[in-house]
Amino acid sequence: TAYEIRLSLVGSEMCIRDRYQRRVRAFPSGNMQNDEGKIVDLYIPRKCSATNRLITAKDHASVQIAIGHVTDKGAYNGVTTTFALCGFLRANGESDSALNRLAQEAGFLKHVVGGVQVADR
């Protein structure tokens, strides 16, 4: 009968029901909890590593790049250095030079002066 079919939700109705129930459980007092049950902020702002501009939640063009450290033999050792670049840099086409400058300052690019690689002496 129609009543029996109405009891079982399908497709998008289940997604809407589940999304609403999770939201109520996750945000009962307006706070967000992590897996350990500690209250955490919903959004933690970041700053651009090159310009120190605040990367807002609406800056969808921003990227965060993690560069892995390697041993002398080229094996990854589990350590990373993270750089965040804002959408402003990317829109102006300056993200490549900014990342090169940051990598050079961090010691990843050795023997580079002014964007030109210098031969070993």
Side-chain angles (χ1 to χ4, degrees):
T1 64
Y3 182 73
E4 292 172 349
I5 294 173
R6 179 72 177 119
L7 287 178
S8 61
L9 301 176
V10 294
S12 61
E13 293 174 338
M14 290 178 66
C15 294
I16 293 169
R17 180 201 65 197
D18 293 343
R19 182 177 49 196
Y20 176 75
Q21 287 177 352
R22 274 192 296 250
R23 185 181 309 140
V24 171
R25 280 183 285 183
F27 304 104
S29 62
N31 294 326
M32 183 74 171
Q33 293 182 352
N34 62 9
D35 293 336
E36 290 96 29
K38 296 180 183 175
I39 296 177
V40 296
D41 290 332
L42 295 177
Y43 173 73
I44 299 172
R46 296 176 294 153
K47 277 192 163 185
C48 178
S49 300
T51 63
N52 279 337
R53 286 176 178 246
L54 186 66
I55 299 176
T56 64
K58 296 292 182 180
D59 188 355
H60 298 295
S62 65
V63 293
Q64 183 168 313
I65 300 171
I67 299 175
H69 296 230
V70 294
T71 63
D72 293 337
K73 295 183 179 184
Y76 175 63
N77 62 9
V79 179
T80 60
T81 298
T82 304
F83 298 117
L85 300 175
C86 63
F88 173 79
L89 278 178
R90 298 187 69 217
N92 290 328
E94 298 176 8
S95 57
D96 287 346
S97 61
L99 186 59
N100 284 338
R101 181 179 56 82
L102 291 167
Q104 186 177 3
E105 290 172 359
F108 291 118
L109 298 177
K110 296 180 180 175
H111 310 296
V112 176
V113 178
V116 178
Q117 185 170 1
V118 178
D120 288 333
R121 294 182 191 187

